[in-house]
Amino acid sequence: MMKVVNHKIPSVDGLGVMKGRHAFTDDFSDKHSLFIKVLRSPHAYARIVSIDCEAAKQLPGVEMVITHNDVPRIPFTRAGQGYPEPSPHDKFVLDEYVRYVGDEVLAVAADSPETCDKALELIQVQYQVLTPILNFEEAVDNEIILHPEPEIHEMFPIGFEPKRNIAASYEMHVGDIENVLKKSDVVIEETFFTQAQAHAMMEPHTVNARIDYQERLILYSATQTPYHVRRIISQGLGIPLSKIRVIKPRVGGGFGGKQAIHGEMLVSLVTYKTGKPSKMIYTRKEVFESSYTRHPMRMDVRLGATKDGILEAIDFKVLSDTGAYGEHALTVFMVVGSKVLPLYNKVKSVRFYGDVVYTNHTPAGAFRGYGAIQGNFGLESAIDMLCEKLGMDPIEFRQKNMMKETETSPIFAIMGEGTEGTAMDMDTCKLEECVETGARLIDWYKKYPRIDMGDKVKSVGMAIAMQGSGIPFIDMGSATIKLNDDGFYNLLIGATDIGQGSDTVLAQIAAEELMTTIDKMIVYSSDTDLTPFDVGAYASSTTYVSGNAVWKAAKQMKAALIKEAARILKTTEEQIEFDGVTFQNEKEESISLVDLSNQITYSEDQKQLSVTSSYVGHKSPPPFMAGFIEIDIDKETGEIDIVDYVSVVDCGTTINPKLAEGQVNGAIVQGLGMAIFEDVKYSQTGKLISNSFLNYKIPTRLDINKLTTVFVDSYEESGPFGAKSVGEIGIDTPPAAFANAVYNALGIRIKELPITPEKILLALKEKETN
Amino acid sequence: MLVNVIVNQETKTFVCEPGDYLLDTLRAYNYLSVRRGCDNTSCGVCTVLLNGKPVPSCSVLTASVEGKSIITVEGIQAEAEKLGRHFGDEGADQCGYCNPSLALTVYAMKNDLFQPTEAEVREYLVGNLCRCTGYIQQERAIMKYLGDE
Amino acid sequence: MFVAEYVRPKNVEEAYQALIKDKKNLIIAGGAWMKLTKKSASKLISLEGLDLNKIVATEEMIEIGSMVTLREIETNENILNTCSGILSLACHNIMGINIRNIATIGGSVMARLAFSDIYPALLVLDASLVFYKSGEVSFADFLSHPNHDPDLLLGIRISRKAEAGYFRKVAITALDFAIVNLALSKTADSWRIAVGATPFIASLAIEAANYLDQYKELNDEIIQTAVNMALDEIKVSKNQRGSKEYRIELIKTYLKRGIRSVSEHVG
Ligand SMILES: Cc1cc2nc3c(=O)[nH]c(=O)nc-3n(C[C@H](O)[C@H](O)[C@H](O)COP(=O)(O)OP(=O)(O)OC[C@H]3O[C@@H](n4cnc5c(N)ncnc54)[C@H](O)[C@@H]3O)c2cc1C
């Protein structure tokens, strides 16, 4: 019986944060920091012909103006991934070319934001405006080339062909797809589009720097990847790694948006050059326009099935828009296939292929769901369309064809993230139970497909999903546990809590193993000088990968404690019984942990007990879920009430059931945002119009009436106390489940996100006139 | 210019420019629980109580608060702690960047509305955006907080 | 914002003098809209302390001081009890409580916002504006004839004659500008219909209202004719929030529902 894990422990930091304690990056900026602001390109594509910044430099309070002439010309990627990165090195700190509206032209460092603004107004830049590529379907082999620079390169083969505007490409197949499709009784062929969703975390990108008394560069950064930040700065600016320290304080939400580096390069440059502290806080407009989005995609899907509903073929072609730079170009694309298509593992043939292209849009990058949400929308919409054609209940179809426990898919071995994948069997897969429970909770058979209510119609829709738990053989996490006098511990982790609660969850794992309570496990993350290495918060790796590292460390600490106890109680380690509080030997002589810790700290055979363990996954056990939505649609206006969203999730053991529920709930609402509300609009010249919370609508609390989130019993042997991941899985189902519910309500199929009331109503009108 | 205010029941004199916004002034005076979330008054993160009412400090000129009372979460620590405990029980806290502003708005609501329903609570708090939680657990916690005492 | 000086005039005349002295001197009310739209000013003229924050009700009308906040309107008993509370409802639908605690009705009127949710309500409440120099001006005239002479808005008068009313805002989320908004009212003998955010500034559908006035009892056909007449009168187009076609469908639906709802309440 577990005492800490699988219990609803309040998060270790909730109270302090609620009470407004200093916690976030800007709370730690030096009061006398130089402020840095960036002049951003008004053009989607242009060459900088000349820059006149003399007047700005003369302005009192201006410290420096940095242009592309002042920075080393070293191509790098801001992606914030492990090394070598699967993203092309196609970006310079500043460049002679600007490639999207909002791209960096130059930077000003001055004594206040107001001085920066004044200085920016005094700077004259002459541009040679170039014709941009704004339609990603026209990018490949366009005569306009967005990245002609000779220095840029891939780190290993990812299908990088910049001369063709291709950042990455890939192809795989199992079986002969054309042949299987030809022989299928029922075939559908459909095209789906997804938009460039914005992360919209509440804390804008924030970073500050200073030089400490050892002449080292110290950064506080709102980042998901402090170690990668340190490495990329070192590479990009030529500062020795040993001279850089990156501290991640509390982070105000990330969702993948803070995996990449943002202002880190510029503050490092300014502080390193001037010796003065500096800081940068993105405006909300910059967060929208000049950080990252989700990769917009076009998906061409063909499915083939027998007439009694056996899925035989999946053909999935993807065109992905990475925008101006190729951060996460290949890997997000791969996940469209690798974490979606195995859901239907019994097909005779599956093919997955396509290109990731450059355009003159805001770059795309990592975002919760990471390709799986796009692929899920395409596949799970298409499955319902196939069911319609087969005249089959979509739940029954899925039950017949979906992945089951102990089964596998050839895709796991073929597709990894940039490299080959890892074969694995589904040691835990409770999809059947998820689907069954969800159908019951939403009352599917009473409401499917619709209930007419006069002006409104009620309907339900569903989808299934899977994700991963870290990247096998690549993602590494580690943990240090240290014993203190008075018998409490420090848990030092490189894993980055960005609001998802990993500090609490990891402390629970350590506390459980050491049979102590959470208040005796003081957790600290993350600081490149103090905490051991961890790749950071991405790829749903923290609970599984870092959690396993913590679990190993805790076991090691337990062994070290028992060794000390055996020595003190003059027996062998095997004879020691430890209950978390007291050690006892076979003669029932005992010593408490408090006394032991005090003794080894102060009086006898003194030493610091401290252990460090690391973990690299050998597989990536997928969490699974079934998502069910109930909606009411106004037939005359297309307006939608989201009545309920039922999520039934198999994430293995929930280390903290309430926090796990929070992960799912938050992800469901973010997914609903992508499904219904979050419209991305560009002007004809490529300027992002939806660049503020006034023009980009994330769901409000009035849009969410009810979320029903439950977890099925599941225990993943390879996970810490049976856990898999839960951070991303929740976001995948809402777009397809919603699209399916709209179809069930009105018989209209919308294949382009977001599915707004306007699109629904106009499609309905069109259907009525036809 | 000089602006005399009462912040969390303490008399203060701010030295500021006539065009400065309260958010920046408060942060400059180390009230760091007051935070920026957007540039155009649309997220709720910078909310403080002005004469007891929630206002967006990013859009209130410091010059205009002469003689008024301001409350930040530093001024309602006991209430924030009570609310925080319910948040902990419901797993309602995630990044928490906006939690101080939410606590202030909830506190104001408690004085403004008599035994509000869940629907009224949502309407009152709709200006406080959250991207982490999906809102539902927050609302459970808030209803419990309102039900206390 | 770059501001040279922030002043607090002691009386309205002083405020007015400051306003007309320099084009770069601006009145500041709640300042919420100003923050979004103005980068600088020579002088910001505060209207606080000029006694413009009262709501005074009589049998026939309510006079709302220009500095009254949207939240005060939303919760005022008299306004809630006038014409089915449509002005309160219109305010209630604007953003979050924190903005409504600073945004004022005076600022809302003077900012001439095409998306304003308040304007349709004011139009069907037969509102008039009370200016310091120009005196009383009908709100409908104010909207259709932009006047460029600087003046100070002291208050807004709304009529209490209507027996029932209807207000509807359609937006993507509760924190968005309207795709369309509309209001209806009915006194003993006359209808008023106003539609805003089309995306043009709100206007009255006078012919459609006159048409409805002819009938004591309404049926679906009469309502449909009135809705079509209104659509002929009101200019509708597209912007980033919605297409023309969608707006037309929304106006059709909600005018129909609004007319039904009001006639049920009156009948
Ligand atoms: C983020 C945001 C979202 C909004 N969304 C909506 C919405 O969805 N629907 C809606 O209807 N409204 C909306 N509004 C507008 C809001 O309701 C107010 O109408 C607006 O803020 C103006 O009021 P204010 O008191 O802030 O005016 P201020 O910003 O102080 O002033 C606005 C203008 O009016 C002038 N002025 C003010 N008072 C007077 C006076 N007495 N005499 C002469 N001139 C004067 C000022 O000089 C200025 O030019 C929104 C506002 C914001 C900031």
Side-chain angles (χ1 to χ4, degrees):
Chain A
M1 191 54 204
M2 290 186 283
K3 290 219 169 78
V4 186
V5 160
N6 199 228
H7 286 262
K8 305 165 183 175
I9 305 235
S11 56
V12 296
D13 35 37
L15 268 191
V17 170
M18 178 70 83
K19 290 165 85 176
R21 306 280 183 219
H22 299 184
F24 294 90
T25 298
D26 193 49
D27 302 349
F28 302 106
S29 65
D30 191 293
K31 271 235 171 276
H32 305 288
S33 290
L34 292 169
F35 210 92
I36 301 172
K37 283 212 177 191
V38 171
L39 183 70
R40 298 199 174 269
S41 171
H43 305 294
Y45 193 20
R47 191 176 73 84
I48 298 167
V49 178
S50 67
I51 297 172
D52 179 0
C53 48
E54 281 319 301
K57 281 182 176 163
Q58 299 311 314
L59 191 71
V62 172
E63 180 80 21
M64 65 193 293
V65 179
I66 312 163
T67 72
H68 61 93
N69 296 317
D70 308 315
V71 296
R73 194 163 170 80
I74 306 171
F76 70 106
T77 176
R78 301 168 296 178
Q81 296 165 302
Y83 189 83
E85 298 99 336
S87 298
H89 283 206
D90 60 1
K91 176 84 177 75
F92 302 92
V93 178
L94 294 167
D95 193 4
E96 184 189 349
Y97 287 82
V98 282
R99 295 185 178 79
Y100 67 97
V101 176
D103 204 352
E104 295 138 329
V105 177
L106 54 81
V108 168
D111 58 5
S112 73
E114 292 77 23
T115 312
C116 287
D117 287 335
K118 280 186 200 151
L120 290 179
E121 275 172 28
L122 292 173
I123 292 171
Q124 305 288 332
V125 181
Q126 263 198 356
Y127 299 95
Q128 176 194 354
V129 178
L130 305 169
T131 311
I133 300 175
L134 299 173
N135 178 348
F136 76 118
E137 295 182 72
E138 292 166 5
V140 174
D141 293 331
N142 197 303
E143 62 189 26
I144 303 162
I145 296 172
L146 303 187
H147 281 283
E149 319 82 271
E151 307 95 325
I152 64 172
H153 56 87
E154 57 193 342
M155 302 298 284
F156 53 87
I158 59 167
F160 179 60
E161 286 184 88
K163 301 259 150 30
R164 303 181 59 206
N165 292 321
I166 294 176
S169 62
Y170 177 78
E171 200 272 331
M172 71 72 95
H173 66 271
V174 177
D176 181 348
I177 189 76
E178 295 301 341
N179 209 16
V180 177
L181 278 171
K182 209 183 291 164
K183 288 185 185 151
S184 295
D185 300 329
V186 182
V187 173
I188 63 149
E189 182 168 354
E190 300 290 344
T191 300
F192 300 89
F193 289 90
T194 61
Q195 81 276 34
Q197 189 182 23
H199 305 81
M201 69 298 274
M202 285 296 134
E203 180 199 29
H205 303 296
T206 306
V207 58
N208 52 65
R210 78 279 296 131
I211 304 280
D212 77 352
Y213 62 91
Q214 291 185 18
E215 295 290 277
R216 293 170 75 230
L217 177 69
I218 316 295
L219 260 67
Y220 279 88
S221 175
T223 181
Q224 296 174 222
T225 56
Y227 286 90
H228 297 334
V229 165
R230 182 178 69 172
R231 185 193 78 236
I232 297 166
I233 291 171
S234 166
Q235 287 166 353
L237 299 178
I239 304 171
L241 208 57
S242 60
K243 287 275 185 195
I244 307 169
R245 173 181 180 190
V246 179
I247 301 167
K248 172 220 73 88
R250 189 156 188 91
V251 174
F255 315 114
K258 290 172 180 168
Q259 179 175 351
I261 71 160
H262 298 277
E264 284 91 343
M265 227 28 127
L266 288 171
V267 295
S268 301
L269 194 77
V270 167
T271 292
Y272 210 65
K273 280 200 173 174
T274 62
K276 297 181 184 176
S278 71
K279 72 173 185 175
M280 202 169 164
I281 303 173
Y282 274 36
T283 63
R284 184 53 63 179
K285 183 165 171 251
E286 286 178 306
V287 176
F288 275 105
E289 270 182 15
S290 307
S291 66
Y292 298 92
T293 69
R294 191 185 288 295
H295 288 80
M297 289 185 190
R298 174 194 157 115
M299 291 168 284
D300 296 295
V301 183
R302 292 196 292 168
L303 301 179
T306 64
K307 57 182 180 305
D308 44 354
I310 304 293
L311 188 65
E312 294 189 311
I314 305 176
D315 190 24
F316 219 93
K317 179 181 171 188
V318 178
L319 184 71
S320 170
D321 178 359
T322 191
Y325 302 99
E327 287 98 356
H328 300 262
L330 177 72
T331 40
V332 166
F333 169 87
M334 295 293 273
V335 169
V336 178
S338 64
K339 290 180 187 161
V340 178
L341 304 184
L343 278 170
Y344 298 97
N345 60 329
K346 297 170 201 50
V347 292
K348 288 186 186 153
S349 176
V350 51
R351 178 167 66 167
F352 178 82
Y353 65 112
D355 298 318
V356 190
V357 296
Y358 286 117
T359 64
N360 295 100
H361 280 153
T362 297
F367 193 156
R368 185 189 225 167
Y370 204 78
I373 182 172
Q374 291 99 318
N376 199 278
F377 173 61
L379 184 64
E380 284 293 273
S381 295
I383 292 284
D384 260 41
M385 298 174 85
L386 182 67
C387 291
E388 173 75 20
K389 218 169 166 181
L390 286 164
M392 205 167 164
D393 180 279
I395 290 188
E396 194 193 327
F397 180 89
R398 286 182 174 84
Q399 283 168 330
K400 229 177 193 171
N401 291 286
M402 68 195 185
M403 174 78 83
K404 312 233 158 71
E405 200 153 82
T406 70
E407 295 178 356
T408 187
S409 158
I411 294 173
F412 293 129
I414 301 170
M415 296 180 73
E417 287 199 21
T419 52
E420 273 182 14
T422 308
M424 58 181 170
D425 293 332
M426 297 302 96
D427 295 329
T428 48
C429 172
K430 308 289 179 197
L431 250 184
E432 287 179 278
E433 200 180 331
C434 292
V435 169
E436 228 166 81
T437 310
R440 183 165 46 76
L441 289 172
I442 203 94
D443 209 353
W444 179 269
Y445 292 101
K446 203 160 134 207
K447 294 168 188 164
Y448 174 79
R450 80 187 70 82
I451 301 173
D452 202 314
M453 307 190 296
D455 283 347
K456 289 188 178 179
V457 55
K458 176 183 290 301
S459 75
V460 286
M462 62 90 63
I464 55 174
M466 59 179 280
Q467 199 81 31
S469 301
I471 311 169
F473 300 104
I474 292 181
D475 286 346
M476 189 266 273
S478 44
T480 297
I481 299 177
K482 177 159 90 69
L483 176 72
N484 295 283
D485 45 336
D486 209 30
F488 73 99
Y489 307 91
N490 290 110
L491 172 62
L492 307 175
I493 42 180
T496 42
D497 194 319
I498 54 170
Q500 84 283 45
S502 62
D503 282 355
T504 304
V505 163
L506 296 177
Q508 280 178 267
I509 292 172
E512 181 70 46
E513 182 60 31
L514 286 162
M515 297 169 287
T516 183
T517 47
I518 197 90
D519 55 310
K520 296 213 161 42
M521 188 58 63
I522 310 303
V523 61
Y524 178 67
S525 74
S526 350
D527 178 331
T528 56
D529 271 8
L530 302 181
T531 56
F533 185 90
D534 191 289
V535 288
Y538 59 83
S540 285
S541 59
T542 302
T543 299
Y544 183 76
V545 176
S546 312
N548 261 322
V550 169
W551 199 20
K552 265 172 82 177
K555 287 174 182 165
Q556 234 180 301
M557 174 53 82
K558 206 179 188 177
L561 289 170
I562 287 171
K563 191 173 159 201
E564 289 303 316
R567 179 182 59 75
I568 293 167
L569 297 176
K570 303 196 169 52
T571 180
T572 61
E573 287 157 41
E574 294 72 38
Q575 297 296 336
I576 292 288
E577 296 219 4
F578 177 47
D579 63 1
V581 179
T582 314
F583 303 88
Q584 202 175 50
N585 67 10
E586 67 280 17
K587 294 182 210 142
E588 296 195 4
E589 294 162 338
S590 69
I591 181 168
S592 71
L593 174 65
V594 172
D595 288 344
L596 179 144
S597 66
N598 287 339
Q599 197 181 94
I600 65 172
T601 306
Y602 295 113
S603 44
E604 256 176 60
D605 207 358
Q606 293 96 319
K607 59 176 71 89
Q608 172 65 61
L609 280 195
S610 172
V611 298
T612 297
S613 282
S614 309
Y615 184 83
V616 183
H618 292 199
K619 62 179 206 169
S620 177
F624 292 92
M625 79 166 273
F628 294 76
I629 193 171
E630 177 182 336
I631 53 170
D632 293 344
I633 305 187
D634 188 317
K635 286 185 273 183
E636 290 183 308
T637 66
E639 288 167 285
I640 301 145
D641 290 329
I642 304 165
V643 181
D644 192 6
Y645 202 102
V646 172
S647 308
V648 188
V649 183
D650 162 15
C651 62
T653 303
T654 51
I655 303 287
N656 185 318
K658 284 283 178 191
L659 294 184
E661 184 186 350
Q663 282 305 298
V664 175
N665 287 345
I668 292 294
V669 172
Q670 210 168 28
L672 287 170
M674 175 149 163
I676 310 172
F677 303 101
E678 300 178 24
D679 212 349
V680 177
K681 291 195 167 150
Y682 281 99
S683 75
Q684 285 192 334
T685 54
K687 189 182 157 36
L688 189 67
I689 298 168
S690 43
N691 64 1
S692 70
F693 283 130
L694 287 178
N695 290 333
Y696 183 88
K697 307 319 298 185
I698 67 171
T700 73
R701 63 183 78 237
L702 284 178
D703 301 303
I704 307 302
N705 293 301
K706 191 176 171 207
L707 302 172
T708 305
T709 299
V710 296
F711 297 93
V712 296
D713 259 343
S714 170
Y715 192 95
E716 167 62 39
E717 279 299 334
S718 68
F721 293 103
K724 300 190 276 188
S725 81
V726 73
E728 294 186 275
I729 180 74
I731 204 168
D732 296 335
T733 58
F738 179 65
N740 293 341
V742 169
Y743 181 82
N744 294 339
L746 303 168
I748 53 175
R749 173 60 62 180
I750 297 177
K751 294 180 278 185
E752 192 168 338
L753 296 181
I755 301 170
T756 59
E758 165 160 0
K759 277 191 202 162
I760 292 171
L761 190 73
L762 296 184
L764 190 61
K765 290 280 146 194
E766 202 183 306
K767 187 186 156 209
E768 281 167 5
T769 51
N770 286 340
Chain B
M1 68 186 293
L2 301 181
V3 179
N4 300 299
V5 285
I6 303 160
V7 187
N8 302 331
Q9 310 200 344
E10 238 182 285
T11 315
K12 291 261 163 173
T13 302
F14 290 149
V15 184
C16 67
E17 296 295 320
D20 285 355
Y21 283 103
L22 187 56
L23 166 61
D24 301 312
T25 309
L26 286 171
R27 281 196 75 81
Y29 280 85
N30 227 31
Y31 296 99
L32 297 182
S33 67
V34 189
R35 306 186 180 116
R36 182 186 297 283
C38 72
D39 323 318
N40 46 22
T41 333
S42 38
C43 70
V45 168
C46 66
T47 301
V48 299
L49 304 187
L50 186 60
N51 286 351
K53 292 179 185 153
V55 300
S57 66
C58 72
S59 298
V60 172
L61 288 170
T62 307
S64 76
V65 301
E66 171 72 35
K68 294 182 185 168
S69 127
I70 294 165
I71 296 177
T72 68
V73 85
E74 286 89 343
I76 56 158
Q77 290 285 292
E79 292 297 317
E81 174 140 356
K82 277 189 216 159
L83 182 64
R85 292 206 183 278
H86 287 294
F87 266 54
D89 290 343
E90 293 301 326
D93 33 36
Q94 289 196 33
C95 86
Y97 190 69
C98 59
N99 280 6
S101 62
L102 187 62
L104 286 163
T105 315
V106 169
Y107 174 72
M109 176 175 71
K110 201 165 93 168
N111 299 325
D112 209 0
L113 304 183
F114 178 69
Q115 294 184 346
T117 63
E118 211 171 311
E120 287 167 332
V121 166
R122 281 189 192 151
E123 300 235 333
Y124 200 97
L125 301 175
V126 71
N128 292 79
L129 281 177
C130 168
R131 188 61 154 173
C132 291
T133 62
Y135 302 113
I136 295 291
Q137 285 159 287
Q138 285 187 347
E139 275 142 30
R140 275 184 218 145
I142 291 164
M143 291 312 287
K144 289 201 174 148
Y145 165 78
L146 294 174
D148 278 354
E149 72 232 320
Chain C
M1 205 173 169
F2 292 112
V3 178
E5 204 185 343
Y6 184 95
V7 295
R8 298 167 176 273
K10 283 187 207 62
N11 53 53
V12 175
E13 174 61 20
E14 211 179 285
Y16 178 74
Q17 289 305 331
L19 176 65
I20 58 172
K21 200 154 177 203
D22 183 342
K23 264 198 172 153
K24 286 193 179 148
N25 293 353
L26 302 174
I27 302 280
I28 180 158
W33 194 248
M34 190 166 275
K35 144 109 192 198
L36 294 194
T37 51
K38 294 270 177 358
K39 277 202 157 158
S40 65
S42 302
K43 218 180 240 185
L44 282 183
I45 307 155
S46 163
L47 297 186
E48 274 188 277
L50 302 185
D51 217 21
L52 298 175
N53 54 353
K54 301 241 149 61
I55 299 173
V56 182
T58 64
E59 285 273 294
E60 265 85 62
M61 62 150 193
I62 301 175
E63 180 154 344
I64 307 168
S66 69
M67 288 295 281
V68 171
T69 66
L70 304 186
R71 176 70 180 159
E72 285 160 350
I73 294 175
E74 185 186 346
T75 51
N76 181 273
E77 279 301 319
N78 286 312
I79 300 175
L80 276 165
N81 288 328
T82 299
C83 189
S84 315
I86 57 170
L87 186 60
S88 298
L89 186 59
C91 290
H92 177 74
N93 274 297
I94 296 172
M95 296 298 286
I97 199 126
N98 53 1
I99 294 187
R100 303 204 296 277
N101 273 328
I102 60 169
T104 63
I105 181 112
S108 299
V109 166
M110 297 309 289
R112 286 186 176 276
L113 307 168
F115 57 81
S116 172
D117 298 316
I118 301 169
Y119 295 1
L122 289 177
L123 281 171
V124 303
L125 289 167
D126 198 12
S128 63
L129 310 178
V130 183
F131 283 101
Y132 180 56
K133 284 290 156 184
S134 340
E136 190 165 342
V137 178
S138 103
F139 181 59
D141 286 349
F142 170 82
L143 287 187
S144 43
H145 304 104
N147 175 359
H148 299 293
D149 291 339
D151 202 345
L152 260 168
L153 179 66
L154 301 179
I156 289 129
R157 292 182 180 146
I158 59 169
S159 158
R160 303 190 81 177
K161 260 168 64 189
E163 292 166 357
Y166 177 86
F167 174 83
R168 180 75 202 193
K169 170 183 187 174
V170 183
I172 304 278
T173 73
L175 298 184
D176 202 2
F177 298 127
I179 304 171
V180 76
N181 47 34
L182 52 84
L184 298 154
S185 73
K186 186 166 185 319
T187 64
D189 47 17
S190 80
W191 284 85
R192 279 181 161 251
I193 300 171
V195 185
T198 63
F200 305 104
I201 209 158
S203 64
L204 285 164
I206 294 167
E207 305 277 325
N210 289 345
Y211 173 78
L212 285 179
D213 290 347
Q214 300 169 31
Y215 299 94
K216 268 227 130 33
E217 293 278 312
L218 301 183
N219 60 31
D220 284 356
E221 198 181 319
I222 297 169
I223 294 174
Q224 199 52 56
T225 310
V227 168
N228 291 341
M229 288 174 76
L231 278 167
D232 284 341
E233 285 179 82
I234 286 154
K235 205 159 74 162
V236 182
S237 185
K238 64 165 188 180
N239 69 353
Q240 54 156 312
R241 287 195 160 65
S243 64
K244 182 174 172 180
E245 295 78 0
Y246 186 51
R247 284 203 162 89
I248 289 174
E249 292 301 328
L250 291 175
I251 295 170
K252 267 192 205 162
T253 301
Y254 282 113
L255 276 185
K256 183 182 73 186
R257 291 182 189 176
I259 295 170
R260 279 193 196 139
S261 150
V262 170
S263 50
E264 270 165 29
H265 277 91
V266 185

